[in-house]
Amino acid sequence: MSETAQLPDPPQFSDEEMQKCRESGDFMPVLFEWYKFVGHICIFFAQLQRQSPAAKEIPPIHFAILTGLLNRCARLMLSNVALSHNGRFGETTALLDRCIFESSLKVNWLCHKGNDESFQRYLAGGLKTEIELEKEIAGNITERVGGEVLNIEKRMLSSIDRHIDAAGLSREEITEAKKLPDVSAMLRDLGHERLMYVVAQRLGSHHVHGTWPSLLLHYLEVNDDGEFSLRDHDCRTHPNQFVMTPVQVLGAVRAFIVYLIEEEEAKAVVDLLDSIQEEILKINSEMVGGDFQSAE
């Protein structure tokens, strides 16, 4: 990030605009702007330089992993903005939000653990598949008369080498590294209750795997006679997505700042992130109304 980089301005809404949302019960225009803003905030802080005066000494590979994950969050949020602005592609934004959740969680968990082993487990988790593919290719080459190497195999082996070299791990270290904990275990490490896992991970998985609830929500319609028909291309992004995802991403940015920046300098940024979250949750409170009151 250059020294002249400026924080993006938060969205501003007039009293009339907010009153219109209250009267209609539709807070999506407001939440949409906050969603975009959090995406901008995410990429802004992902561009912090490791050599910044206030930055702690952390290994370059740790920094690369965390900023790469934050960049992934911001890019996928931008994709959702492009998809959802016309009131369509809700089935796709739900799938992307599940990806954003996992990346945000990994940033939080890695910063929480803050040790070489955890970052190595993250790297090895992706590279184990590369090692397996490498062995399969090598086996095919060995079985071939004269050990001929095909052009596609040469390209694939070179790509695997680049990925492994960039990680700074040996093949032995990758093979012997422990698996990353699953999402449920990461959430427990971070102090979350089981409900967070069920809502963010298990329900989110419907959209990734195309389960029956996913079909009923986005791809099928049921008429009064119980007959099924294909749903038209009219799925809107659910308002909860414009609340939960920004809050998750803000949490990831907060964890990154605390991990990277000295405490005194980090406090001002954390206060900013907290104030953004407060604004989003305040809108959410108005939107949900009596949802959390007794149904009796």
Side-chain angles (χ1 to χ4, degrees):
M1 182 189 300
S2 69
E3 294 181 1
T4 58
Q6 295 286 323
L7 273 167
D9 293 324
Q12 301 288 332
F13 303 98
S14 66
D15 292 340
E16 290 76 16
E17 288 172 317
M18 291 304 301
Q19 185 58 34
K20 183 178 179 181
C21 290
R22 294 184 186 102
E23 291 172 355
S24 66
D26 180 13
F27 289 85
M28 288 290 277
V30 175
L31 289 173
F32 182 80
E33 294 302 320
W34 279 106
Y35 188 99
K36 285 196 299 183
F37 177 66
V38 171
H40 290 154
I41 286 290
C42 183
I43 194 59
F44 179 88
F45 286 111
Q47 294 178 86
L48 282 172
Q49 297 299 305
R50 194 171 62 88
Q51 299 82 9
S52 297
K56 303 172 188 174
E57 288 286 339
I58 68 171
I61 193 67
H62 293 195
F63 186 81
I65 292 169
L66 296 174
T67 54
L69 286 169
L70 289 176
N71 188 30
R72 185 173 193 258
C73 291
R75 293 268 298 277
L76 293 180
M77 290 184 79
L78 175 62
S79 298
N80 273 348
V81 166
L83 287 167
S84 64
H85 78 280
N86 61 359
R88 293 187 174 186
F89 296 105
E91 73 288 337
T92 310
T93 62
L95 191 155
L96 292 180
D97 274 343
R98 166 65 155 61
C99 298
I100 296 169
F101 162 71
E102 281 204 29
S103 292
S104 298
L105 176 61
K106 285 173 180 173
V107 172
N108 265 297
W109 185 80
L110 288 168
C111 292
H112 172 72
K113 303 301 280 189
N115 54 49
D116 289 335
E117 182 198 9
S118 298
F119 282 91
Q120 184 168 314
R121 290 169 71 181
Y122 169 83
L123 290 167
L127 293 173
K128 287 180 188 290
T129 305
E130 305 280 290
I131 296 290
E132 183 179 0
L133 177 59
E134 185 179 51
K135 289 179 179 177
E136 290 292 324
I137 295 171
N140 290 337
I141 293 172
T142 300
E143 293 175 2
R144 202 170 291 132
V145 176
E148 180 186 11
V149 180
L150 304 179
N151 285 329
I152 188 172
E153 292 171 331
K154 183 178 179 181
R155 291 197 303 272
M156 292 171 76
L157 290 172
S158 295
S159 176
I160 292 169
D161 277 337
R162 287 196 301 273
H163 292 164
I164 293 174
D165 290 345
L169 299 178
S170 68
R171 283 162 173 76
E172 183 179 13
E173 287 174 320
I174 294 168
T175 303
E176 294 181 354
K178 291 198 300 183
K179 289 180 62 176
L180 269 179
D182 61 21
V183 168
S184 179
M186 286 186 185
L187 287 168
R188 284 198 304 272
D189 277 351
L190 294 169
H192 293 288
E193 296 182 357
R194 176 75 179 179
L195 179 62
M196 172 63 82
Y197 172 69
V198 174
V199 172
Q201 175 72 2
R202 296 298 297 275
L203 291 183
S205 292
H206 289 319
H207 312 299
V208 176
H209 301 299
T211 61
W212 180 240
S214 171
L215 297 186
L216 288 179
L217 184 61
H218 291 135
Y219 304 100
L220 292 172
E221 290 183 322
V222 189
N223 64 22
D224 294 338
D225 297 323
E227 297 176 341
F228 298 100
S229 60
L230 299 183
R231 181 171 178 174
D232 201 357
H233 183 48
D234 60 351
C235 300
R236 298 180 66 86
T237 297
H238 195 281
N240 288 349
Q241 293 176 242
F242 286 121
V243 176
M244 287 189 65
T245 298
V247 168
Q248 289 160 357
V249 171
L250 286 170
V253 176
R254 187 185 296 110
F256 171 68
I257 292 297
V258 171
Y259 180 76
L260 177 68
I261 304 298
E262 297 293 345
E263 183 176 357
E264 187 174 340
E265 286 78 6
K267 186 180 184 306
V269 179
V270 169
D271 288 345
L272 168 66
L273 299 173
D274 287 347
S275 69
I276 296 169
Q277 177 171 310
E278 184 179 336
E279 287 298 319
I280 294 171
L281 293 179
K282 188 186 302 180
I283 297 167
N284 184 59
S285 294
E286 291 202 57
M287 180 175 67
V288 300
D291 282 359
F292 291 93
Q293 295 177 1
S294 174
E296 296 181 358

